[in-house]
Amino acid sequence: RELLAEMKGDDRLAAVPVIVISGNDDTALISECVRAGADDYIVKPFQPRILRARIENSLEKLSLRRVLE
């Protein structure tokens, strides 16, 4: 969480999509990470197909944000 907060507080890194991958499925932690700026949260074990889809989705969102800017 600290690294995520640092990244989102740095103008050079704030736009970098972040997908948190963790073995912790605590709803409060997931909410905290998303509020801190995570684009997604995946609980281990995960399926590579799901990870790939979420990465593609995060990159598409980034592309759309850049077009809007």
Side-chain angles (χ1 to χ4, degrees), residues 10 22 30 42 45:
D10 185 330
S22 174
I30 295 169
I42 299 175

Side-chain angles (χ1 to χ4, degrees), residues 5-16 66 69:
E6 284 185 40
M7 286 181 67
K8 295 304 176 176
D10 185 330
D11 290 339
R12 298 169 298 157
L13 301 174
V16 174
R66 287 182 174 166
E69 291 174 355

Side-chain angles (χ1 to χ4, degrees), residues 18-47:
V18 175
I19 299 173
V20 176
I21 300 174
S22 174
N24 191 335
D25 65 351
D26 178 60
T27 305
L29 175 62
I30 295 169
S31 295
E32 184 179 325
C33 288
V34 171
R35 279 194 310 273
D39 292 273
D40 212 331
Y41 190 103
I42 299 175
V43 178
K44 294 187 229 176
F46 61 89
Q47 296 180 5

